[in-house]
Amino acid sequence: MFSTMYQATGFKRALILCQEGKLEEAEALLKSLQEEFLAICEENEALKLQLSEVADVLDLADKVQFDGQKYWLLDEDERKGPFCQVCYDRDGLLVHLQRHDKHWECQSCRSLFMIPRNEKLPTQKKEFMRTTLKKTIPLFLEREMG
Ligand SMILES: [Zn+2]
């Protein structure tokens, strides 16, 4: 319905109507073409927004690293996390894991991840998330370490 072909032929028809002196019909046609044009502009804006959200998510995916059982978020020399592998793979959500004595636990899906003896603790810099990730990303779940 919103095809450019339809509009092209619509404009041509309006021109022909004008040339034939059928001005009221031409006016009605131009009005409907204008409505379609505005609808297409809205759709275009929505698509642009969607595209930038996808680009942000891909940018995030670039920074997510899998250590064999959990995910970590990398930014230059900083490592944040860990995050639940099950939740990220299934829902695209980065859910912080809670640290226990010998394992990490996901508060969302209750998955457990054993802590290897040589695993380094992440450095904590809380500004990182806010500056790197925009509010438009619906996939990210921010949760404080408990
Ligand atoms: Zn989980």
Side-chain angles (χ1 to χ4, degrees), residues 84-87 90 95 97 106-111 113:
C84 178
Q85 172 260 319
V86 177
C87 289
R90 192 185 52 196
V95 180
L97 297 175
C106 175
Q107 299 288 345
S108 176
C109 72
R110 298 284 155 194
S111 291
F113 303 90

mmCIF file of all heavy atoms in Angstrom, residues 84-87 90 95 97 106-111 113, ligand 1:
data_model
loop_
_atom_site.group_PDB
_atom_site.id
_atom_site.type_symbol
_atom_site.label_atom_id
_atom_site.label_comp_id
_atom_site.label_asym_id
_atom_site.label_seq_id
_atom_site.Cartn_x
_atom_site.Cartn_y
_atom_site.Cartn_z
ATOM 1 N N CYS A 84 25.257 -13.963 33.882
ATOM 2 C CA CYS A 84 24.724 -15.316 33.663
ATOM 3 C C CYS A 84 24.730 -15.697 32.172
ATOM 4 O O CYS A 84 24.203 -14.968 31.341
ATOM 5 C CB CYS A 84 23.305 -15.378 34.202
ATOM 6 S SG CYS A 84 22.520 -16.978 33.950
ATOM 7 N N GLN A 85 25.305 -16.873 31.896
ATOM 8 C CA GLN A 85 25.362 -17.374 30.510
ATOM 9 C C GLN A 85 23.977 -17.783 30.020
ATOM 10 O O GLN A 85 23.599 -17.524 28.878
ATOM 11 C CB GLN A 85 26.340 -18.562 30.450
ATOM 12 C CG GLN A 85 26.374 -19.307 29.128
ATOM 13 C CD GLN A 85 25.554 -20.596 29.172
ATOM 14 O OE1 GLN A 85 25.580 -21.310 30.155
ATOM 15 N NE2 GLN A 85 24.838 -20.868 28.103
ATOM 16 N N VAL A 86 23.203 -18.413 30.906
ATOM 17 C CA VAL A 86 21.871 -18.900 30.512
ATOM 18 C C VAL A 86 20.954 -17.728 30.136
ATOM 19 O O VAL A 86 20.316 -17.729 29.080
ATOM 20 C CB VAL A 86 21.228 -19.721 31.660
ATOM 21 C CG1 VAL A 86 19.824 -20.174 31.285
ATOM 22 C CG2 VAL A 86 22.107 -20.916 32.002
ATOM 23 N N CYS A 87 20.937 -16.697 30.988
ATOM 24 C CA CYS A 87 20.051 -15.552 30.736
ATOM 25 C C CYS A 87 20.463 -14.780 29.486
ATOM 26 O O CYS A 87 19.614 -14.331 28.726
ATOM 27 C CB CYS A 87 20.040 -14.617 31.944
ATOM 28 S SG CYS A 87 19.170 -15.325 33.352
ATOM 29 N N ARG A 90 19.664 -16.954 26.340
ATOM 30 C CA ARG A 90 18.237 -17.167 26.125
ATOM 31 C C ARG A 90 17.485 -15.870 25.852
ATOM 32 O O ARG A 90 16.657 -15.788 24.960
ATOM 33 C CB ARG A 90 17.634 -17.873 27.348
ATOM 34 C CG ARG A 90 16.217 -18.404 27.112
ATOM 35 C CD ARG A 90 15.643 -18.969 28.393
ATOM 36 N NE ARG A 90 15.759 -17.986 29.479
ATOM 37 C CZ ARG A 90 15.635 -18.290 30.762
ATOM 38 N NH1 ARG A 90 15.427 -19.523 31.139
ATOM 39 N NH2 ARG A 90 15.739 -17.347 31.676
ATOM 40 N N VAL A 95 22.607 -10.433 33.267
ATOM 41 C CA VAL A 95 22.167 -10.484 34.656
ATOM 42 C C VAL A 95 23.382 -10.749 35.544
ATOM 43 O O VAL A 95 24.088 -11.743 35.366
ATOM 44 C CB VAL A 95 21.121 -11.609 34.855
ATOM 45 C CG1 VAL A 95 20.669 -11.657 36.305
ATOM 46 C CG2 VAL A 95 19.921 -11.393 33.937
ATOM 47 N N LEU A 97 25.749 -11.967 38.405
ATOM 48 C CA LEU A 97 25.757 -13.149 39.254
ATOM 49 C C LEU A 97 26.140 -12.743 40.677
ATOM 50 O O LEU A 97 26.951 -11.846 40.876
ATOM 51 C CB LEU A 97 26.759 -14.175 38.718
ATOM 52 C CG LEU A 97 26.442 -14.731 37.333
ATOM 53 C CD1 LEU A 97 27.561 -15.634 36.846
ATOM 54 C CD2 LEU A 97 25.122 -15.483 37.337
ATOM 55 N N CYS A 106 22.922 -17.090 39.740
ATOM 56 C CA CYS A 106 22.056 -16.154 39.027
ATOM 57 C C CYS A 106 20.751 -16.022 39.798
ATOM 58 O O CYS A 106 20.061 -17.006 40.040
ATOM 59 C CB CYS A 106 21.779 -16.649 37.606
ATOM 60 S SG CYS A 106 20.598 -15.600 36.729
ATOM 61 N N GLN A 107 20.414 -14.777 40.178
ATOM 62 C CA GLN A 107 19.180 -14.544 40.949
ATOM 63 C C GLN A 107 17.949 -14.658 40.071
ATOM 64 O O GLN A 107 16.832 -14.738 40.550
ATOM 65 C CB GLN A 107 19.202 -13.142 41.570
ATOM 66 C CG GLN A 107 20.332 -12.911 42.535
ATOM 67 C CD GLN A 107 20.154 -13.651 43.844
ATOM 68 O OE1 GLN A 107 19.073 -14.126 44.163
ATOM 69 N NE2 GLN A 107 21.223 -13.773 44.599
ATOM 70 N N SER A 108 18.175 -14.636 38.766
ATOM 71 C CA SER A 108 17.041 -14.668 37.855
ATOM 72 C C SER A 108 16.640 -16.092 37.515
ATOM 73 O O SER A 108 15.488 -16.476 37.661
ATOM 74 C CB SER A 108 17.391 -13.882 36.594
ATOM 75 O OG SER A 108 16.353 -13.981 35.659
ATOM 76 N N CYS A 109 17.607 -16.909 37.052
ATOM 77 C CA CYS A 109 17.249 -18.278 36.639
ATOM 78 C C CYS A 109 17.801 -19.333 37.586
ATOM 79 O O CYS A 109 17.616 -20.518 37.369
ATOM 80 C CB CYS A 109 17.728 -18.539 35.208
ATOM 81 S SG CYS A 109 19.516 -18.714 35.072
ATOM 82 N N ARG A 110 18.517 -18.883 38.638
ATOM 83 C CA ARG A 110 19.037 -19.780 39.673
ATOM 84 C C ARG A 110 20.156 -20.705 39.197
ATOM 85 O O ARG A 110 20.454 -21.709 39.854
ATOM 86 C CB ARG A 110 17.916 -20.636 40.301
ATOM 87 C CG ARG A 110 16.842 -19.829 40.997
ATOM 88 C CD ARG A 110 17.331 -19.317 42.338
ATOM 89 N NE ARG A 110 16.592 -18.121 42.734
ATOM 90 C CZ ARG A 110 16.974 -17.311 43.722
ATOM 91 N NH1 ARG A 110 18.072 -17.545 44.391
ATOM 92 N NH2 ARG A 110 16.264 -16.246 44.016
ATOM 93 N N SER A 111 20.748 -20.384 38.050
ATOM 94 C CA SER A 111 21.888 -21.188 37.603
ATOM 95 C C SER A 111 23.072 -20.981 38.543
ATOM 96 O O SER A 111 23.245 -19.898 39.094
ATOM 97 C CB SER A 111 22.308 -20.778 36.185
ATOM 98 O OG SER A 111 21.342 -21.161 35.249
ATOM 99 N N PHE A 113 27.360 -21.340 38.971
ATOM 100 C CA PHE A 113 28.613 -21.435 38.220
ATOM 101 C C PHE A 113 29.750 -21.554 39.232
ATOM 102 O O PHE A 113 29.923 -20.673 40.079
ATOM 103 C CB PHE A 113 28.823 -20.182 37.363
ATOM 104 C CG PHE A 113 27.685 -19.910 36.402
ATOM 105 C CD1 PHE A 113 26.608 -19.127 36.797
ATOM 106 C CD2 PHE A 113 27.681 -20.441 35.125
ATOM 107 C CE1 PHE A 113 25.553 -18.879 35.925
ATOM 108 C CE2 PHE A 113 26.636 -20.193 34.244
ATOM 109 C CZ PHE A 113 25.569 -19.415 34.655
HETATM 110 ZN ZN ZN B 1 20.437 -16.569 34.708
#
